[in-house]
Amino acid sequence: MKINRRNFLKTSAGLVAGATVTMKAGNVFAKITSQEAGIIKESLKGYNKVFSACAMCPAECGLEYWEKGGDLKKIYGNKDVPMNDGTSCAKAAAIPQLVYSPYRIKHPMIRTGERGEGKFKKVSWDEAIDFLAKRMIKLKKQYGAESMLMDTGDVTDRDQYYRLAFGFGTPNCCEHGAICDVPRRHGPKLILGGKRIQPDVMRPLLIRGEDGKLTKPYEYQTKLIIYNGWNPFVATRIYYENRGTVEAKLSGCKVVVIDPSYSNTATAADEWLAPTAGTDGDLFGAMLRYILENDNPKKADRKYIDWNMKQYVLGWDEFINEFKSWWKKKDPINGLTYFSTTWAADRTGIDEYKIKKLAHDFGITKPAALVWGMQSPGHHYNGYCASIIGTVLNVITGNLDVPGGAIDTETVKASKGASATAKHFKKRKLKRRVNGKIVEGEMEHLQKDHYGDQYPSAWDDVVADIPDRIRKGVNIEYGPFKGHKYAFKMFFLRTGNTVMTASNTEDWKKALTEKDKNGNYKLELMTVIDSVFLESALYADIILPEASFVERMSLSDIYPSHAVLYLRDEVIKPLYDSKKPTDIMNLLAKKLYALGDRDIRPEDFWERYANEEDFVNDMLTQSPKMKNIGRPLPYPKYPEGYTIIGTPDSLESGIGVTVDHNKKLIKGDLLTVEWYRKNQGVAVWPMSYYRYKKSDSEKPNLAYPKTDSKMIEFVWDYEKDGKRSGRYAGYNKLIEASQVVPAGMQEIGFTKYPKTFYWFETKWNPYTNPDYSKYQKEYPFQVINGRVHHAMTGTQMATFLSQVKVEGTWHPMNEEFKDVNVEGVQSPKPGQIVKEHTFKKDTFSIGTIWMNETDGKDMGFKMGDLVKMTNPLGASTKGKLFLSGGIRPKVVKISFGTGGRFSKGIGPLYKARNYTADPNMLTDPNARSPFMGFPAFADMIVKIEKV
């Protein structure tokens, strides 16, 4: 889209690059002169505006890019995307520093030295694809296609790599979600078929008014938000929460933050509670018990429970009765009965009165939202328990899916991917020899997690156990291939950095370099596909340069309150010798086919997708695939409960829309890339609330949520209409058929998955688990972690973001060093020389260790001291101290990706590697949550000494 003066008016002051425009003093809106207008008009020539999205962090905000002459010039928020409503943050401003970084991977490379040495040679794409395809074919013939795992990484445009992996014949394909916050999501998944519960603060909404017309209100109804272990002002996965929280407060909402550290979000809260780390479930359990014991429907100040919700819940009584059975049990750590406020006060360190008041306020305040976070409970071994109780609290108080309440954003997202992801390939029939017999099954029956002996219920897959799988292989214990064992030989890592982010750093390094008795690497092929050279790339056998996110096309849909789907369009052409995912997929598929691999079929790859636009159009064929349910109905002219597919405008007009009553399907014009480019790059469908009930009565609609019963489920293995159902039912059937208890469940003494409420303790917490009490004196500090304004480990070469301090974990404490300063590098030229810059001492933010200042004083530490933290396993890491009163005593906090960075490709932060801490050096590599195999990032204790 070409820029004209009308489009330009809203941002004219910021666009006069190099021009001088005189404004009348005291009035920035003064009428400009004809000469000034001419300067502005001249400055607009040659610009092209592209609606796309950001991927500097997982929020993926909608952006408006201005490109000129093939270069990225200006970046603004896209006003039509409600996720960020025209705003953008410092990360978006730093996009050019990533795109034009001299540290980018510019061409394919093949390893020449040992893994970890960083020795590579430049090769052509033909050489790289030939090398890779031949190795894949050889290993496939020797070990089977299942010996390969594809990790598709941390951005949402991963579908091409799923298709490639499934087409090759492996069922082992995963993404970053496996190491993100799996325990946090567990409760919503069990109970709602969802993932992330967030407050109703995305604005504007697109919703029908009383007259049936679509409106875009900005009003906020929320009266109370409780953020537990969630820090949206920094961890901006859901960007609208940071501005929405502030705006809700201005409308009268109270905000409570529960976090051992005084986070950025806590600074804007009405109340900050600082519990003992890892006691989220304890607090939630006490809140639930208090509400159940003190609810009184006849008293306005005790009407905590919305008993009308019971008709939408399956297993209400079963859950509550099992929960109450724990009230009679005594906790061995303190001798008190479970979930009493006295018990919770002892374990959390929060005053009992405050716990009672929190429970009372949440029960009595409508509408409200209880939200829990990635750090906690999401990174704790027993985080499932808190996640389950938190979901139940939102349901029984009547706050689920009401205006101003709590919304499960996963259940309302627009569907994307359709058949492009090729999950149907996993149904392909194949044979394997098992215990001397030929057995037939489907490809998916060889999946390392779902049918393996460790974590069959890992619906988000497991990445943290890959080091063990490299060493020990995979044992299939469930399904038709029971007894089959296979080696783990090929690992594809795309836009991820598992060495630094997927459990213990040192354990990953050892596994990737471990050799057999013949001196060969046990993992025989390590492939990295990325734009930037991160630590994991040091261990690759081959590296393929992928186009950056502004050089390729995909779709974004990050956790909205209602269906929103926007295009992440190509802004500039791929730089250097990088290629787009669709091109990489087709190149490798063609070569595999040419080498005789007939699992690869031309009609599934290059014949079907000539380019990335073809691929994205295929992804859109089932979008948004939302239900026409709730109040108000999104589309009252169509039948309630039917599935909706099509563009918002076609559905609204009704022109060309078909209604299939047999399939209960409403279908308008299909979304396409062309449609997006004509419509500001975004599709927004109408919002509705109360999606679990009929629009004209209080009865359940049996269309939502996304559970087996289409009811809110408090039981997860049950019989109904002669059929066994529930989220855990299928896994229990596998266990019963196999008579083998998964290894993870054996750790906590379970023999099968529970039907309803359950409880177990976390690891490495001496305050709640008696198994670790013996360590409390020698290792008195709990370690928690968090984020800074970066995308985990992938954007630290953007030096602009090191000018921003973050809480106590990202501060200018560097020693003087020289490195490239990418500011001002706007256009890569062949042979371009970028001069080094001297970063003077204490001018560049680095990862710091946040400690309570009283603890520091007692130990003789001062601000900036270099200290070593050591855990009971003997692992250690070093970093500089930041001392303040903003963190609970005996707790220290470190952020992911901010320290111990040992790849030169990360830029300036590499120079600080010897005095910045890597929290994952301390992670117990064997502490993985028992159902899902998620690393217990936040469960560790340390002793601290000055270096």
Side-chain angles (χ1 to χ4, degrees), residues 824-859:
V825 179
Q826 288 290 307
S827 182
K829 302 291 189 297
Q832 177 185 17
I833 297 175
V834 183
K835 295 181 179 180
E836 283 196 327
H837 172 79
T838 298
F839 292 84
K840 295 189 178 298
K841 183 177 172 63
D842 297 337
T843 62
F844 185 88
S845 286
I846 59 172
T848 47
I849 300 168
W850 192 3
M851 174 187 275
N852 182 277
E853 59 188 0
T854 301
D855 287 336
K857 182 178 180 181
D858 290 345
M859 299 183 72

Side-chain angles (χ1 to χ4, degrees), residues 82 179 273 573 610 625:
I179 53 169
L273 301 175
K573 297 297 179 184
K625 206 175 181 181

Side-chain angles (χ1 to χ4, degrees), residues 48 81 139 163 179 185 214 216 241 283 395 434 443 535 544 574 594 598 630 685 710 832 844 874 891 901 913 930:
N48 185 48
V81 175
L139 295 171
R163 173 168 280 265
I179 53 169
R185 312 171 189 174
L214 289 173
K216 286 188 175 183
E241 270 186 311
L283 179 60
V395 171
V434 182
M443 189 175 91
E535 282 78 6
L544 303 180
R598 290 304 176 258
W685 294 269
K710 298 298 184 286
Q832 177 185 17
F844 185 88
V891 173
R901 303 304 304 274
R913 65 194 181 281

Side-chain angles (χ1 to χ4, degrees), residues 367-540:
L370 172 61
V371 181
W372 50 96
M374 179 179 300
Q375 144 64 25
S376 196
H379 286 176
H380 289 290
Y381 181 81
N382 70 339
Y384 312 134
C385 304
S387 179
I388 290 167
I389 299 171
T391 307
V392 168
L393 280 165
N394 279 312
V395 171
I396 69 168
T397 54
N399 284 304
L400 179 70
D401 214 40
V402 301
I407 295 174
D408 189 305
T409 55
E410 175 70 13
T411 62
V412 301
K413 286 168 65 174
S415 174
K416 65 179 178 67
S419 63
T421 308
K423 291 181 180 179
H424 57 285
F425 287 1
K426 293 190 291 182
K427 293 294 183 181
R428 290 177 176 175
K429 300 291 185 181
L430 49 77
K431 296 178 181 180
R432 290 291 182 270
R433 183 176 293 276
V434 182
N435 297 324
K437 296 181 179 180
I438 298 297
V439 178
E440 183 176 78
E442 296 175 352
M443 189 175 91
E444 66 180 349
H445 294 142
L446 291 171
Q447 213 275 348
K448 79 175 186 70
D449 304 317
H450 306 163
Y451 295 90
D453 63 352
Q454 301 292 309
Y455 310 104
S457 63
W459 50 67
D460 281 320
D461 303 309
V462 184
V463 170
D465 75 335
I466 289 176
D468 276 354
R469 302 288 70 77
I470 292 171
R471 298 178 183 113
K472 303 173 184 177
V474 175
N475 296 324
I476 299 297
E477 286 289 2
Y478 308 103
F481 295 118
K482 174 180 167 59
H484 179 59
K485 303 183 188 326
Y486 63 85
F488 189 90
K489 291 295 180 179
M490 295 178 271
F491 182 36
F492 280 63
L493 178 61
R494 181 262 177 169
T495 65
N497 193 13
T498 52
V499 169
M500 293 290 294
T501 64
S503 191
N504 185 275
T505 301
E506 201 60 35
D507 193 49
W508 270 90
K509 290 160 66 176
K510 289 178 181 178
L512 294 175
T513 55
E514 192 165 326
K515 295 184 178 182
D516 61 21
K517 61 183 179 181
N518 297 318
N520 300 315
Y521 290 116
K522 288 188 174 181
L523 180 70
E524 296 191 30
L525 177 62
M526 171 75 172
T527 304
V528 166
I529 305 169
D530 211 334
S531 304
V532 291
F533 201 111
L534 305 179
E535 282 78 6
S536 298
L538 292 168
Y539 300 87

Side-chain angles (χ1 to χ4, degrees), residues 265-327:
T265 308
T267 65
D270 297 279
E271 184 175 12
W272 170 48
L273 301 175
T276 300
T279 58
D280 317 274
D282 309 22
L283 179 60
F284 288 5
M287 289 173 65
L288 179 57
R289 178 170 176 175
Y290 182 89
I291 285 172
L292 290 170
E293 287 184 317
N294 294 279
D295 173 69
N296 188 337
K298 296 180 180 180
K299 289 188 176 182
D301 65 343
R302 287 290 184 272
K303 198 173 181 180
Y304 299 142
I305 298 174
D306 182 350
W307 289 100
N308 289 325
M309 287 301 298
K310 192 171 182 179
Q311 66 182 307
Y312 310 109
V313 175
L314 185 69
W316 177 297
D317 290 334
E318 291 93 328
F319 182 94
I320 298 302
N321 289 337
E322 181 61 26
F323 177 68
K324 285 183 175 180
S325 74
W326 281 77
W327 301 2

Side-chain angles (χ1 to χ4, degrees), residues 618-693:
D618 198 17
M619 292 174 66
L620 291 166
T621 54
Q622 297 294 311
S623 300
K625 206 175 181 181
M626 60 182 276
K627 295 286 187 181
N628 193 33
I629 53 174
R631 300 179 182 179
L633 274 178
Y635 295 100
K637 68 173 72 174
Y638 304 124
E640 183 175 355
Y642 282 29
T643 299
I644 296 169
I645 292 173
T647 65
D649 54 350
S650 68
L651 293 164
E652 190 66 18
S653 71
I655 298 173
V657 173
T658 61
V659 179
D660 187 327
H661 295 289
N662 292 323
K663 296 180 178 179
K664 294 187 176 182
L665 180 66
I666 303 159
K667 194 170 185 179
D669 296 338
L670 295 183
L671 283 164
T672 63
V673 171
E674 182 181 5
W675 182 92
Y676 272 111
R677 288 173 176 165
K678 294 177 180 177
N679 290 273
Q680 311 298 104
V682 61
V684 183
W685 294 269
M687 169 73 169
S688 64
Y689 295 100
Y690 305 103
R691 281 166 273 214
Y692 48 81
K693 65 173 70 174

Side-chain angles (χ1 to χ4, degrees), residues 722-885:
K723 182 181 178 182
R724 193 168 174 185
S725 301
R727 184 63 60 177
Y728 286 155
Y731 310 121
N732 279 335
K733 287 161 68 175
L734 288 175
I735 293 172
E736 290 160 9
S738 179
Q739 294 297 300
V740 175
V741 178
M745 293 179 63
Q746 292 181 38
E747 282 189 9
I748 55 173
F750 287 22
T751 57
K752 63 179 182 178
Y753 294 90
K755 290 186 176 182
T756 189
F757 174 79
Y758 57 86
W759 182 262
F760 59 91
E761 300 294 353
T762 196
K763 287 192 170 186
W764 292 112
N765 192 329
Y767 304 101
T768 62
N769 190 330
D771 291 345
Y772 299 95
S773 296
K774 61 186 177 182
Y775 296 109
Q776 187 173 342
K777 185 176 181 180
E778 185 178 357
Y779 301 91
F781 289 92
Q782 292 182 283
V783 181
I784 63 172
N785 38 55
R787 289 190 175 211
V788 298
H789 299 300
H790 277 290
M792 295 295 284
T793 67
T795 59
Q796 279 77 7
M797 67 289 297
T799 55
F800 175 60
L801 297 177
S802 278
Q803 298 174 21
V804 183
K805 301 176 184 178
V806 180
E807 300 167 354
T809 59
W810 188 243
H811 276 264
M813 290 189 178
N814 64 294
E815 300 299 322
E816 184 174 304
F817 64 88
K818 290 185 177 181
D819 208 292
V820 172
N821 184 0
V822 297
E823 291 186 51
V825 179
Q826 288 290 307
S827 182
K829 302 291 189 297
Q832 177 185 17
I833 297 175
V834 183
K835 295 181 179 180
E836 283 196 327
H837 172 79
T838 298
F839 292 84
K840 295 189 178 298
K841 183 177 172 63
D842 297 337
T843 62
F844 185 88
S845 286
I846 59 172
T848 47
I849 300 168
W850 192 3
M851 174 187 275
N852 182 277
E853 59 188 0
T854 301
D855 287 336
K857 182 178 180 181
D858 290 345
M859 299 183 72
F861 298 151
K862 63 180 185 298
M863 185 81 81
D865 276 353
L866 183 65
V867 298
K868 181 172 77 169
M869 299 186 295
T870 305
N871 69 15
L873 300 173
S876 64
T877 188
K878 294 185 295 185
K880 292 188 175 184
L881 285 177
F882 180 88
L883 302 174
S884 82

